[in-house]
Amino acid sequence: MRSFASDNNSGVHPNVMEAIIKANSDHSIAYGGDDLTLKAIDLIKNNFGKDCDVFFVFNGTAANVLSISALLKPYEAVICASTSHLNTDECGAPEKNTHCKLITIETKNGKLTPDAIEPYIKGIDNEHHVQPKMISITQSTEYGTVYTIDEIKKIAELAHSHNLYLHIDGARIYNAAAHLNATLKDITFGAGADVVSLGGTKNGLLFGEAVIFKNIQYSGGFKFIRKQSMQLASKMRFIAAQFIALFSDDLWLKNALHSNKMARLLSDELKKIPQIKITQNVEANSVFAIIPPYYISLIQQKYFFYVWNEKKSEVRLMTSFDTTEEDISSFVSHTMDIIGVEKENKCKICDNIDLEIIFNKKKTKKYFYCKKCGYIYVEPTKLPDIDQEKQRYLLHNNAEENSGYPEMFENLLSVINDWHNESIKTALDFGCGPTPVLANLLRKRGIETDIYDPFFAPEKVYENKTYDLITCTEVFEHLFNPVAIMELFEKHLNKNGIIAITTHFHPSDSEKFAEWWYIRDETHISFYTHKTFEYLASLFGLEVLLCTRKNICIIGKTNTKFY
Ligand SMILES: [Zn+2]
Ligand SMILES: [Zn+2]
């Protein structure tokens, strides 16, 4: 498996593994009194400053939490970005272990600014208020953006002018240094930081991070805090050996330069897909992108990655020291297949290359019309963006709630009822919209009904399940790739199950099409006839059992007994 989920998903860099194996000989003093630990600390000081005080710990959450424990009292507070690892990914460990409040600030790109921070430095010396005592920034940020040295200096000045400490969560500090072409010292203590959580695991280590203080004035008592917090490694030489490898021959920099480069490549390649939008500057080793919601889970079947913001359909893709160009080209090609991007101009459904170009009435939009299967789809540059689609979706449903919708559902149900009543016990309404009207009607008829909608019910309840009935009303005209969705339906359909689709069939005439009301909705991008559904169904061993004149199509497995 290759993964873009996290830089923790990659393995251990071979040099690091070799260093661990080399350290595994003879006996040695425990708890950091050994030569390897001294050497590793020396190497880190060479990179961060001679006065630094370095302490190894097991993991990044501990490095962050203990940085706070060392410097703050329980009535003091840490100001950080709402997206910070401290706030979102540590299960409340900072609050539980330090008793300090986190004061979180919303940002657009993961970066705090003095202007954003200043209003939160308040209530000083007032016993009713928690006392802000630390600003914590993440470098590079959880959004893959990087603070410039100047930006850090300004935050440090603000912190120090109010007697606050500046902490840097440096889980990915190497990627930031690589991006800025600066030394690790320049972007940390040289820019005014007081304490740094130094990463390792995300840049090729097996495990092991460190807390680095600017000097011993900040680190007094820390050895006791570390032990009391269960972070003192007895065989510390094995953490140290890894850091020695990381800081030898600039391995940290080579790894970071490589993963940054892979992220840029990934972003450049994804930009070629008109349906995908990159949402953050790619400065370190992550790419944030909006991918059309219907396709995310299909892409994830082959490559794992996280959905960062479900509402925005925004995903996070991470690269690491061992991501290859091959990984990226296969991922992008798989994504293109799923979304149905034209690699050459041929019909997505029947592969016909003889496509007619037709237009809307004002000739502002171009469509491809396949005369073989009847499929019509809009030129990719005219695709709506996600926000537009969601807004339109809300409008469209509400507007039709009072007029056509209930009637359409009743029609659909009577078609299903007339033909197939007895055997339907379970149903999935795919693309149910903001209010599950149809699902409720089905439930009233005693059918156990699941709902899914990428915007309004995004949990993929259908995974590992099959259904007697899959309904999909007024969705197909919004799809970039109906083939992928039909494939998904086939997978989740019981042997004698049926798929009930509604979408308005187009008039099969380019002049009438140009005037057709249905194409005026900006988010309608795919149009079908009976014949299109016959082709589409046949791709997956399905067949059209029934089509009404206007807008209903019932599909089942070939040889389904339809009565
Ligand atoms: Zn076709
Ligand atoms: Zn629609």
Side-chain angles (χ1 to χ4, degrees):
M1 178 191 86
R2 302 300 287 174
S3 165
F4 291 93
S6 167
D7 30 12
N8 285 326
N9 282 26
S10 57
V12 180
H13 191 279
N15 293 12
V16 173
M17 197 55 106
E18 198 188 305
I20 295 172
I21 291 166
K22 241 176 88 187
N24 191 30
S25 64
D26 219 351
H27 287 193
S28 177
I29 298 182
Y31 299 110
D34 61 285
D35 291 346
L36 289 178
T37 302
L38 293 178
K39 186 176 173 193
I41 288 174
D42 241 25
L43 281 170
I44 292 174
K45 284 182 169 184
N46 287 345
N47 282 274
F48 283 86
K50 284 289 165 210
D51 293 334
C52 289
D53 209 4
V54 182
F55 297 84
F56 294 114
V57 294
F58 289 111
N59 55 57
T61 296
N64 285 341
V65 169
L66 299 196
S67 297
I68 301 169
S69 293
L71 298 172
L72 270 60
K73 300 192 176 70
Y75 55 81
E76 292 173 330
V78 181
I79 297 173
C80 56
S82 61
T83 46
S84 65
H85 193 275
L86 264 183
N87 184 46
T88 60
D89 275 315
E90 300 184 357
C91 191
E95 294 92 330
K96 181 202 177 235
N97 291 288
T98 71
H99 305 291
C100 293
K101 184 180 172 75
L102 298 183
I103 298 172
T104 60
I105 301 178
E106 297 293 325
T107 70
K108 279 207 176 77
N109 56 6
K111 283 162 70 170
L112 293 173
T113 61
D115 284 349
I117 297 166
E118 196 149 21
Y120 294 90
I121 305 178
K122 61 178 181 189
I124 303 299
D125 208 29
N126 181 334
E127 67 198 344
H128 300 287
H129 290 278
V130 70
Q131 300 293 295
K133 192 64 183 174
M134 179 181 272
I135 297 169
S136 177
I137 62 174
T138 311
Q139 174 78 318
S140 55
T141 71
E142 290 76 5
Y143 262 130
T145 51
V146 172
Y147 288 92
T148 64
I149 294 174
D150 207 45
E151 286 169 337
I152 299 173
K153 280 185 176 161
K154 292 210 165 97
I155 293 173
E157 273 164 29
L158 175 72
H160 297 151
S161 71
H162 289 90
N163 251 324
L164 272 64
Y165 299 108
L166 177 62
H167 166 251
I168 296 181
D169 177 350
R172 299 190 181 95
I173 194 85
Y174 311 103
N175 301 87
H179 172 72
L180 295 170
N181 192 19
T183 67
L184 292 165
K185 184 182 176 182
D186 286 345
I187 65 170
T188 54
F189 300 112
D194 302 303
V195 58
V196 173
S197 299
L198 178 66
T201 318
K202 290 183 163 77
N203 202 23
L205 263 54
L206 174 60
F207 71 97
E209 319 272 310
V211 179
I212 315 178
F213 295 93
K214 188 178 183 177
N215 59 49
I216 52 168
Q217 278 160 7
Y218 293 80
S219 56
F222 190 75
K223 62 180 180 179
F224 304 109
I225 292 173
R226 177 174 63 176
K227 176 68 187 187
Q228 210 172 40
S229 307
M230 300 160 283
Q231 287 287 324
L232 177 64
S234 51
K235 294 186 180 174
M236 197 180 289
R237 61 187 181 280
F238 291 100
I239 299 180
Q242 299 178 66
F243 274 102
I244 292 171
L246 192 65
F247 281 95
S248 300
D249 305 324
D250 285 338
L251 181 64
W252 67 266
L253 181 60
K254 287 175 194 160
N255 283 354
L257 282 169
H258 177 80
S259 53
N260 287 3
K261 185 178 156 200
M262 290 299 106
R264 281 196 309 275
L265 177 65
L266 178 59
S267 159
D268 289 346
E269 289 301 307
L270 289 176
K271 276 181 193 161
K272 294 177 188 164
I273 304 178
Q275 294 89 339
I276 289 182
K277 190 168 139 197
I278 306 295
T279 56
Q280 294 290 340
N281 289 342
V282 178
E283 295 173 341
N285 62 327
S286 55
V287 177
F288 285 80
I290 290 175
I291 297 183
Y294 286 112
Y295 308 108
I296 291 174
S297 61
L298 299 170
I299 300 168
Q300 282 172 330
Q301 285 173 4
K302 194 163 163 202
Y303 291 93
F304 191 64
F305 55 86
Y306 290 108
V307 176
W308 181 262
N309 183 330
E310 198 100 46
K311 279 206 177 100
K312 279 170 68 185
S313 196
E314 182 182 39
V315 306
R316 183 188 80 162
L317 302 163
M318 300 291 312
T319 54
S320 69
F321 73 88
D322 69 345
T323 302
T324 63
E325 288 183 18
E326 163 81 49
D327 289 338
I328 288 167
S329 62
S330 331
F331 174 77
V332 171
S333 151
H334 173 66
T335 302
M336 283 176 151
D337 285 345
I338 295 291
I339 296 182
V341 177
E342 258 42 63
K343 285 178 191 160
E344 49 188 316
N345 215 4
K346 64 178 183 184
C347 173
K348 286 178 216 175
I349 293 175
C350 75
D351 278 354
N352 176 21
I353 50 164
D354 185 20
L355 302 178
E356 190 185 328
I357 291 170
I358 60 173
F359 297 91
N360 61 347
K361 198 178 167 194
K362 289 183 193 152
K363 298 233 189 295
T364 51
K365 256 197 211 178
K366 189 164 128 186
Y367 300 84
F368 297 102
Y369 183 8
C370 172
K371 283 288 176 68
K372 192 171 153 200
C373 74
Y375 182 45
I376 298 179
Y377 60 98
V378 77
E379 179 185 29
T381 51
K382 288 281 187 279
L383 296 171
D385 69 24
I386 296 291
D387 285 340
Q388 195 184 358
E389 178 148 24
K390 188 172 177 183
Q391 285 316 313
R392 181 65 205 142
Y393 205 166
L394 279 165
L395 272 177
H396 166 122
N397 253 17
N398 289 341
E400 290 184 86
E401 197 108 70
N402 307 318
S403 55
Y405 255 45
E407 194 194 313
M408 185 190 78
F409 288 144
E410 288 302 340
N411 275 344
L412 179 66
L413 286 174
S414 74
V415 169
I416 295 168
N417 249 2
D418 286 356
W419 290 84
H420 208 76
N421 193 18
E422 296 305 314
S423 55
I424 296 171
K425 297 202 169 50
T426 57
L428 167 68
D429 187 24
F430 188 93
C432 60
T435 42
V437 181
L438 177 59
N440 288 337
L441 291 174
L442 290 166
R443 285 171 188 146
K444 259 191 218 154
R445 285 163 166 75
I447 298 169
E448 206 179 288
T449 305
D450 282 344
I451 56 170
Y452 168 76
D453 188 281
F455 299 113
F456 306 105
E459 198 193 333
K460 288 165 199 99
V461 286
Y462 53 81
E463 269 168 17
N464 307 317
K465 284 176 93 171
T466 56
Y467 300 91
D468 298 327
L469 169 67
I470 297 174
T471 54
C472 186
T473 57
E474 302 304 290
V475 169
F476 265 71
E477 68 274 16
H478 298 266
L479 296 175
F480 303 115
N481 186 6
V483 176
I485 299 301
M486 191 58 79
E487 186 178 9
L488 183 82
F489 287 178
E490 195 276 333
K491 229 178 88 187
H492 294 282
L493 192 65
N494 282 339
K495 193 164 152 272
N496 283 315
I498 55 166
I499 302 163
I501 294 166
T502 73
T503 182
H504 286 262
F505 304 131
H506 71 69
S508 300
D509 175 301
S510 51
E511 272 169 44
K512 283 184 190 152
F513 180 84
E515 304 260 4
W516 192 29
W517 64 276
Y518 209 51
I519 67 171
R520 275 175 236 144
D521 184 324
E522 287 291 320
T523 63
H524 289 181
I525 55 178
S526 278
F527 309 94
Y528 313 79
T529 64
H530 298 184
K531 204 161 60 171
T532 323
F533 280 109
E534 278 164 19
Y535 272 96
L536 190 52
S538 71
L539 295 175
F540 304 103
L542 300 167
E543 65 183 6
V544 173
L545 305 172
L546 171 105
C547 265
T548 65
R549 196 175 51 83
K550 256 168 67 184
N551 62 346
I552 297 176
C553 178
I554 308 282
I555 290 171
K557 299 213 172 172
T558 307
N559 303 323
T560 299
K561 207 169 146 235
F562 196 58
Y563 45 96

